[in-house]
Amino acid sequence: MNTQRNQKGMSLLGILAIMIMVGFFVMCVIRLGPSYFEYLNVRDIVQRVALDSETESMSIGAIRRKIDTIFNTNQIYGVEAKNVEIYRKKGNTFIDAGYEVRVPIMWRIDAVMTFDDLKYQVGKSGPLTAEDAAQ
């Protein structure tokens, strides 16, 4: 009498498929990580400039030069100070440093990271909400 044994565990093909998926996600994290950490630095810089008491009395050009100097010091390459929008509206100064980064993953596959929560009003601590930006 020949009894059939139950198979336990994964096959080699199943393990290979899981390893390929895990490898792809690890590669994505490795490629996207530096851009995300740079975004965290940009957010901190813009927030510090917006909270600085001297910024309210500075001209738009002076604020842009200050941001450019800090970006150069911190080696920020994802966004340039000339792309940061600084404007005055109803007596308030606003800084909009929103940007997006396109990171090549492999072959023709790119990942796009959009950082659009970098809108600050000078003198206020947090980023502007959609309602604040509309006013």
Side-chain angles (χ1 to χ4, degrees):
M1 193 155 157
N2 198 1
T3 60
Q4 196 174 32
R5 291 177 28 198
N6 289 336
Q7 291 185 355
K8 295 182 181 180
M10 292 179 61
S11 67
L12 186 60
L13 190 59
I15 292 173
L16 184 61
I18 289 178
M19 292 302 290
I20 288 172
M21 286 190 290
V22 168
F24 177 76
F25 288 115
V26 167
M27 180 185 64
C28 288
V29 167
I30 288 172
R31 297 240 173 139
L32 297 176
S35 296
Y36 184 74
F37 288 121
E38 185 173 73
Y39 153 73
L40 293 176
N41 284 333
V42 169
R43 186 180 69 183
D44 182 54
I45 290 167
V46 172
Q47 187 173 22
R48 280 189 289 141
V49 169
L51 284 176
D52 191 6
S53 60
E54 297 174 359
T55 306
E56 291 184 32
S57 61
M58 296 171 77
S59 68
I60 291 175
I63 296 170
R64 190 176 312 280
R65 282 190 298 276
K66 181 176 183 176
I67 290 173
D68 187 39
T69 302
I70 298 172
F71 280 179
N72 286 334
T73 304
N74 289 299
Q75 298 181 353
I76 303 295
Y77 302 116
V79 62
E80 296 179 11
K82 66 180 181 182
N83 297 333
V84 174
E85 192 175 334
I86 303 168
Y87 58 94
R88 290 205 163 91
K89 186 177 180 182
K90 296 181 183 176
N92 296 319
T93 305
F94 296 91
I95 302 172
D96 182 2
Y99 68 103
E100 74 177 27
V101 176
R102 182 175 299 268
V103 180
I105 300 295
M106 59 187 234
W107 192 48
R108 293 185 180 186
I109 300 172
D110 291 347
V112 178
M113 299 171 66
T114 303
F115 306 114
D116 57 356
D117 62 339
L118 296 170
K119 296 178 180 108
Y120 288 87
Q121 180 179 346
V122 173
K124 292 195 175 178
S125 62
L128 294 177
T129 61
E131 297 169 0
D132 295 335
Q135 295 175 359

